[in-house]
Amino acid sequence: VQLQASGGGLVQAGGSLRLSCEASGGTFRVYSMGWFRQAPGKVREFVAAKSYRDRSEYYSDSVKGRFTISRDNARNTVYLQMNSLKPEDTAVYFCARSGYYTYSDLTSPVKYDYWGRGTLVTVSS
């Protein structure tokens, strides 16, 4: 299984970006997908996830209302639409795959078995 994230870049505060993560190998539709991020000097933190089981969406409080996760099973791709970006959103963003589907599991990085390499998002003030 390989996950390839793309779409990062430099954007001004208030702007938008859409990240994509394409999966190859495995059966995409039977796995939940999540996004995490890691800022310099900080631990990796949960951003958003979409459960495979009931399509529930979960978000961290810091991005709720600004970010939207979606998936296209036909394209084996998960997206993260990021609007109203803030300088504190600056981080490397990682997509990951999980066989779990509950909120408590999907917010924990240890519940994910495959990770993409990450894509850098930089938000200037």
Side-chain angles (χ1 to χ4, degrees), residues 36 46 49 51 56-59 98 100-112:
F36 288 74
F46 170 76
S51 168
S56 294
E57 297 174 9
Y58 307 117
Y59 299 93
S98 176
Y100 296 86
Y101 56 89
T102 67
Y103 171 80
S104 59
D105 285 329
L106 292 180
T107 56
S108 171
V110 300
K111 299 296 186 178
Y112 290 78

Side-chain angles (χ1 to χ4, degrees), residues 26 67-68 78 83 105 113 125:
F67 290 12
T68 303
V78 62
N83 298 329
D105 285 329
D113 57 357
S125 57

